[in-house]
């Protein structure tokens, strides 16, 4: 089988994100805010909609005039965007930003935040203040320390420690629990084994 790598990543990344947060989503239609408007932004919205009904979706971008989507598009940093962040059940960050996208103080204490855009040690989408008050889930702590700028910079600033990081496997198997009453942050950078699992599922479906 020959699979397109970009298409595979577009499927894999939202699948990993939603697998991590699915058991921690509220049992009601979700108010979703997506920062970004590219394939990952759209893919995360579609994947979340596949596991929970959505009460509404807002995309936040720096220049709404350049974006055409079948959902409200708001200017990042504007009053409407800040209000949407304050009401959101889930916030997805899927951008190429190198600095925090928003003031994390806007978020509710039970917000779920998915960050997938940055994968360099000096780039981040989330501020350290958010990670300091959140349960932080990563695919693998060692990999996060090498590639996840949101985590690397928060550790360097003393907001979290390596011991605070929750491996995704431990979350999904119940080996680790996240306490209620604080945000849940899931930061992924993508790992090769995830591509293999998705590719195997695609091939199996094609043979069925």
């Amino acid at each position: 089988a020959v699979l397109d790598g970009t298409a595979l990543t577009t499927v894999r990344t939202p699948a990993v994100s939603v697998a991590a947060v699915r058991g921690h989503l509220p049992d009601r239609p979700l108010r979703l805010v997506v920062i970004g408007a590219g394939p990952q932004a759209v893919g995360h919205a579609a994947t979340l909609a596949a596991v929970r009904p959505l009460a509404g979706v807002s995309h936040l971008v720096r220049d709404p005039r350049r974006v055409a989507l079948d959902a409200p598009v708001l200017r990042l940093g504007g009053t409407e965007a800040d209000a949407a962040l304050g009401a959101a059940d889930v916030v997805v960050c899927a951008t190429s930003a190198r600095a925090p996208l928003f003031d994390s103080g806007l978020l509710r204490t039970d917000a779920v935040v998915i960050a997938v855009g940055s994968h360099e040690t000096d780039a981040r989408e989330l501020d350290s203040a958010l990670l300091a008050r959140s349960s932080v889930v990563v695919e693998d702590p060692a990999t996060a320390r090498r590639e996840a700028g949101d985590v690397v910079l928060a550790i360097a600033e003393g907001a979290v420690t390596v011991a605070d990081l929750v491996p995704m496997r431990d979350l999904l198997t119940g080996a680790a629990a996240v306490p209620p009453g604080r945000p849940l942050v899931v930061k992924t950078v993508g790992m090769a084994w995830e591509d293999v699992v998705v590719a195997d599922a695609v091939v199996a479906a094609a043979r069925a």
Side-chain angles (χ1 to χ4, degrees):
V2 178
L3 286 82
D4 181 277
T6 300
L8 182 63
T9 300
T10 301
V11 172
R12 176 260 289 165
T13 306
V16 171
S17 298
V18 175
V21 304
R22 185 173 185 175
H24 301 273
L25 297 174
D27 189 19
R28 62 172 183 269
L30 302 176
R31 290 167 291 188
L32 173 62
V33 169
V34 183
I35 306 180
Q40 286 299 335
V42 174
H44 274 77
T47 305
L48 283 162
V51 300
R52 286 287 193 283
L54 301 182
V57 182
S58 297
H59 286 261
L60 311 187
V61 299
R62 298 193 188 280
D63 187 356
R65 296 171 299 178
R66 300 176 60 184
V67 176
L69 292 172
D70 294 329
V73 180
L74 307 175
R75 182 177 62 81
L76 185 63
T79 302
E80 288 183 291
D82 287 353
L85 285 166
D89 296 304
V90 180
V91 176
V92 174
C93 300
T95 75
S96 58
R98 304 193 67 83
L101 293 163
F102 57 90
D103 174 7
S104 65
L106 294 166
L107 300 183
R108 299 195 329 240
T109 57
D110 61 347
V112 173
V113 181
I114 297 168
V116 300
S118 67
H119 48 83
E120 299 173 57
T121 56
D122 60 347
R124 69 199 318 183
E125 296 178 289
L126 308 175
D127 60 25
S128 287
L130 177 59
L131 272 67
R133 69 183 179 105
S134 301
S135 297
V136 181
V137 176
V138 297
E139 292 145 305
D140 171 67
T143 302
R145 292 179 66 192
R146 289 195 304 268
E147 301 179 31
D150 302 81
V151 172
V152 172
L153 294 171
I155 290 174
E157 293 169 3
V160 295
T161 68
V162 175
D164 293 324
L165 304 178
V166 179
M168 191 178 298
R169 175 178 176 168
D170 289 355
L171 181 72
L172 295 178
T173 61
V178 295
R182 61 187 310 188
L184 174 65
V185 169
V186 174
K187 172 60 191 174
T188 65
V189 294
M191 298 180 70
W193 68 265
E194 298 163 353
D195 292 326
V196 172
V197 170
V198 173
D200 183 65
V202 170
V203 172
R207 288 173 172 168

